[in-house]
Amino acid sequence: MSTEIGFGIVGAGMVARYHARAIAETPGARLAAICRADAARADEAAAELGVPCEASLEALLERSDVDAVCLCSPSGLHAEQAVAAARAGKHVLVEKPMALRLADADAMIAACRDAGVRLGVVLQRRTDPATRALHDAIRAGELGDLVLGTATVPYFRPQSYYDSAAWRGTWSLDGGGALMNQGIHLVDLLLWLMGGEAEVVGASGGALQHEIEVEDCVTAALRFSSGARGAIVATTAAAPGFPHRVEVYGSRGGAQIEGDTLIRWEAHAETPGERAPRIRPGGLTPLAAGPAGSGASPTGIGTRGHALLVQDFVAAILEDRDPLVNGVEGRRSLSLVLSIYQAAGLGGGHREARAAGRTSPCH
């Protein structure tokens, strides 16, 4: 393999355009081809992105100029497409959620390991400078013993969002609603910041405002492996949409992130009379494109987070190391989302169902 990594994008929807721009912004990367099952729109996609458009995943994987694939297809197709790509010797960068079942996530991890290719998951909020600075400070003990972590996702999506594609809002291909599709980014951040795993103490959810199979509102109470407590609240029915929040509190201080901006971060003295340190977040650049960011629109984020993940993924391939968010890390947030659904009685047995004879469309 040369030092330039050729990418193929599976899918040609909104998120595929984020990946295309991220690849264009990454030194040592180039977009070689895309894949779209809708033959009537293949020429349109090829013209827009300036590369050949294959009609099937199999054709994309046969291309010698494709070293890695970005899976931007419906979530329910990720697992079989990732396994196929790994067996073809292609590195895999998959959009969140990486799969809809833990068994499928495990199959993806195993396939990439056995093929000697890298597996990365697009949970790009870990690249935010504010979040990374907070993560490092927590690991250094600057907040003391963690006692509470919360994630609030008060987003809004109109019914037209779910009606825009047949797979949206379905258990079989979307895998869930406000939590699996939108909130999983914040689930990942909360687990990453708090450390370890989390047990679901209780959960509730349902579709309150949308005509969809999945939930548009869910709440969950958590207990982390450290003993700290937590809570997750997510909805896509909070019109007109608000910035998400992640809050972490410890025995020596706490921090609040809103819409990817660190708005407050303070610590206090361990002993009376000791001067209390205060850590200020000045100079840290947010990822959000507007006041509500992705809270009001799925296009309400910039491409910077995706670009940083693609840059790291290229470096991981060339340096033969794990990417920033590898398959094991991607599985962690998926596991917690599924546990919340189980506790809330959401989803039934859809995660165990497999569509018989399903092929590998690109979508």
Side-chain angles (χ1 to χ4, degrees), residues 30 97 124 204-205 217 237-238 263 270 311 323 333 344:
R30 58 178 172 79
Q124 76 274 13
S204 176
C217 188
I263 60 174
E270 285 187 306
Q311 290 166 20
S333 54

Side-chain angles (χ1 to χ4, degrees), residues 96 125 149-157 162 171 176-188 190 202-210 212 214-222 230-239 241-246 294-295 333 336-337 340-341 344 346:
K96 56 75 191 168
R125 296 195 185 280
T150 67
T152 306
V153 189
Y155 283 9
F156 177 70
R157 297 292 184 267
Y162 293 103
W171 288 115
L179 190 60
M180 182 70 87
N181 195 306
Q182 286 80 25
I184 196 167
H185 282 293
L186 289 312
V187 173
D188 173 67
L190 191 62
S204 176
L208 305 185
Q209 292 292 318
H210 297 95
I212 51 178
V214 298
E215 88 293 349
D216 63 12
C217 188
V218 64
T219 63
L222 310 175
I232 294 174
V233 179
T235 183
T236 52
F242 299 85
H244 56 259
R245 290 179 65 96
V246 174
S294 54
S333 54
L336 182 52
V337 168
I340 291 171
Y341 283 162
L346 294 170

